[in-house]
Amino acid sequence: MPNDQLDFVEIPSDDDEEYALPQPRSNNQGHPHSKVPESSPNVVSVDSESTKQKLDCRSFWKAGAYEIGPSSFVPAQGELEHARVHPKFLHSNATSHKWAFGAIAELLDNSVDEIQNGATFVKVDKVLNVKDNSPALLFQDDGGGMDPEGIRKCMSLGYSSKKSNTTIGQYGNGFKTSTMRLGADVIVLSRSTNSGRATQSVGLLSYTFLRLTGQDDVIVPMVDFDISNHWAEPIIYSSQDDWTTNLKTILEWSPFATKEELMMQFEDIGPHGTKVIVYNLWLNDEGIYELSFDDDYEDINLRDEASRVNGLKVNKRTLELQSHISYRLRYSLRAYSSILYLRKLKNFKIVLRGKPVQQFNIASELLHKDIVNYKPQLAATSQEVVVKTTIGFIKEAPDLNVSGFNVYHKNRLIRPFWKVARDGSSVGNGVVGVLEANFIEPAHDKQDFERSSLFIRLETRMKQMVNDYWKSHCHYVGFQRRDQPVSKIKKVSHADDQVIGHSKSGTGAQEGLVSKRPRVDLSSGSRKNYPEDASIRKSIVELSADEEVNDSIASLSIEQICEENIQLFTRCEEHVQKEHELKQTVNKLEKELEETRRKCAQLAAYLESRKKQQSLMQQVGHV
C-alpha cells in the first residue's frame, strides 16, 4: 500500500481544549489497558507546563524509591476481584536487567524472531526527542508488525505468542523489562495486515506519566486505525470520547505534540513493521546518560563500562587486552551484537547507527581446534541430545590471558567467555570454547542460566574439556605437555641454553612456558650457587634425581594424576552441593525449633495463667 495514497480521517477534537487526565481507577471496556479513564472529581489535574516535567530522580537504580500513597481497591458493581499492577512494579520488574546491553539484546531478539515473518533488518539508532532535544533510542524492523490485539499483548505482562522452537522469546515479559531498563518511557508504532485487514496502532508505556499523574494502576493509552481503504479510520471500541482521550494522552506525554507528527512516524515503516522509541533515557549516578552516543558515531557505548576499561593503566599488554572482543563487548554495542548470535542470520542485518554489524564467529578464529561431543543426562522420556563443543586457542595465546566458554541458547549468546578454569592456574590459559546448550533454560534476563542439576553437570563437563584439551594441545602454544616426562626435556641447539618448562606464575615446570635458562650441569657435585630462585633450584634437583625416585611413585603417570584430580573435583562439587542442601535443612530445622520454643512459651504462659485463675477461685470459694 503506497504511503502517498494514504489519507487521514480528521478527528473531531480540539487540541487546545482542556481535558482531564486519567483517574487512578476505571472500569474499562473493550481491549484491556487501551482506554484512559474519563474525568472525575478524583482526577489529578496536570497543566501544560507540568507535562514538561520529568521524574525527580533520573537514575534507574533510584527511580523506584518513592512512597506509595493510599489507593482504593474496591471493585465496581458487578466486577470481579482481580490482581492489579502498580506502576512501581514496572521499575522493580526492570531491575532483572543488571546490564543495559542485556536489555538492548532483548529488543534485538524481538526483531530477530520476526525473520519468520519476513523481517530483513533491524535498525538501532539515536534520535532526538523534539520536545526537549534529548536523546532517544530507536529500534525499527520490517517484520510482520502487530495488529491491535498483538500490540496489547506486547504491552501487557506475561502474554507471549512465541511458541516456536526457533524463537528466542518465551516469557512475554522481555519488552517491558528491557524498555523500562533503558528509559522511563517508550512509544510503540506498528503496522500489520491480518486476515486481509490492514491496521496501524500506537501504544504508550510511560513511567513518567504514571508517576506524575499519581496513578495506582498501570494504564497504557492506545489508539488504532484501520488503513485497509487507504485512509486512516479510527477503530472505536467503546466511544469516540474514549478514543480521543487516549490520543490526547499520547500526544501530551510522547515526543510528538500533534497528530500530524505522530502519523508521520509511520511513513518509513512501510506496509508492515514496528518502530519502538525509548525516551527519557536513564542517567548514571553522576547525572550523565548511561548510554554514550558521542564517543563513536558508529557505535553506542556503555559510559561507565567504557570509562572503567579506559581507566586501566595503559601499556602494550593492556592495549592488546582492550582490543580483544572479550573486553570490547563490555562497553561496545557493536562488539556485543557482533557475537550475539551463533549462526549467521540469513537475509537479515543489524544496522547500528547506519552501519551494518558484521557478525563475528568466535569458533572460526580459534587455532588447533577440536570438537568435543557431550551427551547431557536428560530425563528418561527425553530424546538423546548431543552437544558439539568447538574448543581451541585464541590467536593471541599465550600472550593474552583470555579464556572461557561462549554458551548460546537457541542461537543467542547467554554467557560470553565463561571462565571455568581455576583462578591462579595457567591451565586453560588462552583456551576458548563455543557451544549451544538448548537443553538448559536461561534466566529471565538471558544473561545466565538457571542453576539446575543439568547446569551443574554442564559446568563440571566443561572443566573436564579444558583439562583434557590442555593436556593434549598446550605444547602447540609453548607450554610443557603434561604427558611428557619431565626428566626428558629436550635441550636446544645453543650451547649455552637449556629448555626448562616454567610457568609464568611460577607454579612448576610441568605447566609452564618453555623458557631459556643458563645451562646447568646436573651432576651431583655441581648443585650449588645457581641464579634461579628456590623453586627452580628444587625442580633442577628433582630432575637430576629422577632415576632415584621410588618405582611406585614414578609409575604413576601424569595422565592418571589428572584423571584423579578431575574425579576429586567432581566429588568436591557434589560435597559442596550436599553442604548447601544441609545448610538449608539446618536453617529450616532452626526455624522449626524456634517456632516450637515460641509455642512452648505460649503454652507455659497459658498454663501459668490457668493455675493462677484456679488458685484465685479456690481462695474465693474458701471465703
Side-chain angles (χ1 to χ4, degrees):
M1 178 176 53
N3 292 332
D4 55 4
Q5 297 181 10
L6 185 64
D7 297 324
F8 300 102
V9 173
E10 184 64 25
I11 308 300
S13 63
D14 184 1
D15 288 339
D16 295 329
E17 68 178 351
E18 294 184 359
Y19 65 96
L21 288 171
Q23 59 181 334
R25 189 82 175 106
S26 71
N27 183 18
N28 291 342
Q29 297 176 353
H31 280 292
H33 306 294
S34 63
K35 177 180 175 182
V36 178
E38 298 175 355
S39 59
S40 75
N42 297 327
V43 77
V44 180
S45 179
V46 181
D47 57 25
S48 60
E49 195 62 34
S50 63
T51 58
K52 299 178 182 178
Q53 295 178 355
K54 296 183 179 180
L55 297 174
D56 294 335
C57 182
R58 295 291 308 283
S59 171
F60 173 74
W61 296 106
K62 300 177 182 177
Y66 67 94
E67 296 295 329
I68 300 176
S71 59
S72 174
F73 288 90
V74 179
Q77 185 175 0
E79 180 183 359
L80 295 176
E81 289 281 3
H82 65 282
R84 300 172 63 193
V85 180
H86 194 276
K88 195 168 184 177
F89 177 75
L90 290 177
H91 181 273
S92 59
N93 191 38
T95 58
S96 61
H97 285 293
K98 302 297 185 290
W99 193 40
F101 279 0
I104 292 178
E106 285 272 11
L107 296 174
L108 293 177
D109 290 342
N110 289 341
S111 296
V112 170
D113 285 342
E114 284 297 302
I115 293 177
Q116 63 183 2
N117 295 322
T120 62
F121 72 86
V122 56
K123 293 196 302 185
V124 184
D125 209 342
K126 169 196 171 185
V127 294
L128 288 179
N129 182 345
V130 294
K131 284 187 176 179
D132 58 8
N133 209 36
S134 63
L137 197 56
L138 167 71
F139 299 85
Q140 181 177 344
D141 65 56
D142 62 341
M146 293 178 284
D147 60 11
E149 187 69 26
I151 196 171
R152 280 158 179 79
K153 287 184 177 181
C154 171
M155 305 294 252
S156 300
L157 293 168
Y159 288 95
S160 177
S161 58
K162 300 176 181 179
K163 304 301 181 183
S164 170
N165 290 330
T166 60
T167 54
I168 304 165
Q170 57 181 317
Y171 298 113
N173 199 34
F175 175 81
K176 279 72 65 176
T177 59
S178 56
T179 52
M180 293 292 100
R181 173 62 184 86
L182 298 170
D185 310 293
V186 59
I187 185 169
V188 183
L189 306 100
S190 190
R191 267 186 182 167
S192 174
T193 301
N194 190 3
S195 300
R197 187 191 192 195
T199 59
Q200 64 185 29
S201 302
V202 182
L204 179 71
L205 182 60
S206 173
Y207 188 59
T208 304
F209 157 67
L210 296 170
R211 282 284 311 276
L212 295 187
T213 56
Q215 304 302 313
D216 64 356
D217 205 353
V218 175
I219 297 172
V220 183
M222 299 186 194
V223 291
D224 306 293
F225 300 86
D226 189 329
I227 56 175
S228 301
N229 297 321
H230 304 290
W231 64 78
E233 181 179 355
I235 301 175
I236 308 299
Y237 298 107
S238 54
S239 69
Q240 179 69 58
D241 290 339
D242 292 336
W243 191 96
T244 303
T245 303
N246 275 274
L247 177 62
K248 285 185 173 182
T249 306
I250 291 173
L251 297 178
E252 186 74 22
W253 295 92
S254 76
F256 313 109
T258 65
K259 295 190 292 289
E260 290 73 20
E261 290 181 13
L262 183 65
M263 293 303 176
M264 284 178 62
Q265 295 301 311
F266 286 98
E267 291 186 357
D268 62 341
I269 291 181
H272 51 80
T274 300
K275 180 184 289 187
V276 175
I277 301 175
V278 184
Y279 57 104
N280 286 333
L281 301 177
W282 295 116
L283 311 178
N284 62 13
D285 292 338
E286 297 177 357
I288 309 172
Y289 287 108
E290 280 187 311
L291 300 177
S292 172
F293 302 96
D294 301 328
D295 294 338
D296 187 340
Y297 290 101
E298 293 182 347
D299 200 357
I300 297 175
N301 290 337
L302 268 181
R303 192 181 303 276
D304 293 341
E305 290 291 339
S307 61
R308 185 177 296 113
V309 173
N310 296 330
L312 297 174
K313 184 179 179 180
V314 178
N315 52 44
K316 183 179 179 181
R317 179 61 58 83
T318 301
L319 291 175
E320 290 175 347
L321 285 173
Q322 291 180 0
S323 65
H324 196 268
I325 194 169
S326 62
Y327 283 77
R328 288 190 292 115
L329 65 84
R330 302 178 185 181
Y331 62 88
S332 167
L333 181 59
R334 183 169 292 277
Y336 178 57
S337 57
S338 70
I339 66 169
L340 189 58
Y341 302 103
L342 176 61
R343 291 176 292 277
K344 186 175 178 62
L345 302 174
K346 296 181 179 179
N347 303 318
F348 187 88
K349 293 188 294 186
I350 300 174
V351 183
L352 177 58
R353 305 199 72 178
K355 182 180 178 181
V357 173
Q358 298 297 322
Q359 285 190 256
F360 179 75
N361 190 308
I362 305 172
S364 64
E365 299 287 320
L366 298 178
L367 303 178
H368 312 296
K369 287 186 289 188
D370 197 2
I371 304 297
V372 180
N373 291 331
Y374 168 55
K375 295 181 180 180
Q377 299 177 5
L378 305 179
T381 57
S382 301
Q383 295 181 352
E384 186 179 81
V385 174
V386 178
V387 179
K388 292 185 177 181
T389 302
T390 303
I391 189 170
F393 284 104
I394 60 172
K395 294 186 297 185
E396 300 84 357
D399 296 329
L400 291 187
N401 187 21
V402 173
S403 61
F405 285 85
N406 294 272
V407 187
Y408 290 77
H409 178 83
K410 292 184 178 180
N411 200 41
R412 159 75 138 80
L413 179 64
I414 304 298
R415 292 197 69 166
F417 295 95
W418 175 12
K419 189 174 182 179
V420 297
R422 187 177 72 253
D423 290 336
S425 173
S426 61
V427 174
N429 185 24
V431 177
V432 169
V434 181
L435 70 150
E436 186 175 24
N438 295 337
F439 59 93
I440 51 178
E441 290 296 324
H444 279 248
D445 64 349
K446 297 187 180 71
Q447 297 298 309
D448 203 347
F449 290 99
E450 299 291 348
R451 292 196 65 85
S452 62
S453 57
L454 284 173
F455 173 86
I456 295 173
R457 286 199 291 267
L458 173 63
E459 186 177 26
T460 303
R461 183 68 181 94
M462 289 193 297
K463 293 175 182 178
Q464 292 176 340
M465 290 182 193
V466 172
N467 280 280
D468 294 343
Y469 180 83
W470 183 262
K471 286 184 295 183
S472 58
H473 293 79
C474 64
H475 61 284
Y476 289 133
V477 292
F479 286 89
Q480 177 65 42
R481 287 183 58 171
R482 284 181 165 184
D483 57 351
Q484 181 178 352
V486 179
S487 60
K488 297 182 179 180
I489 299 176
K490 296 181 180 179
K491 298 179 181 179
V492 297
S493 58
H494 197 285
D496 295 329
D497 295 324
Q498 180 180 11
V499 176
I500 296 180
H502 177 55
S503 70
K504 295 165 65 177
S505 59
T507 56
Q510 297 174 4
E511 299 177 355
L513 282 167
V514 176
S515 60
K516 292 184 178 181
R517 292 289 181 182
R519 184 172 181 177
V520 180
D521 183 4
L522 297 180
S523 60
S524 59
S526 59
R527 299 175 191 160
K528 58 183 179 179
N529 299 326
Y530 300 133
E532 289 79 7
D533 57 24
S535 63
I536 300 301
R537 289 200 299 271
K538 182 178 179 181
S539 298
I540 294 173
V541 171
E542 291 174 351
L543 287 174
S544 64
D546 182 69
E547 295 180 355
E548 301 175 4
V549 177
N550 185 279
D551 291 339
S552 61
I553 298 177
S555 62
L556 189 62
S557 68
I558 300 297
E559 184 78 20
Q560 291 173 319
I561 294 175
C562 292
E563 291 299 327
E564 288 184 5
N565 283 340
I566 292 173
Q567 293 176 7
L568 289 172
F569 178 81
T570 304
R571 290 171 58 189
C572 180
E573 289 288 320
E574 293 174 352
H575 286 304
V576 169
Q577 183 68 19
K578 289 180 180 179
E579 182 183 12
H580 178 68
E581 294 174 354
L582 288 173
K583 285 182 179 179
Q584 290 182 329
T585 303
V586 169
N587 291 335
K588 181 180 178 181
L589 291 174
E590 287 179 347
K591 290 181 180 179
E592 292 178 354
L593 178 61
E594 185 66 26
E595 181 66 18
T596 303
R597 287 175 176 172
R598 186 181 64 81
K599 290 181 179 180
C600 287
Q602 291 177 347
L603 288 173
Y606 176 75
L607 290 173
E608 185 66 26
S609 64
R610 292 286 297 174
K611 288 180 180 179
K612 289 182 179 179
Q613 290 178 0
Q614 291 178 356
S615 177
L616 288 173
M617 292 176 63
Q618 291 177 356
Q619 292 178 2
V620 171
H622 289 307
V623 174

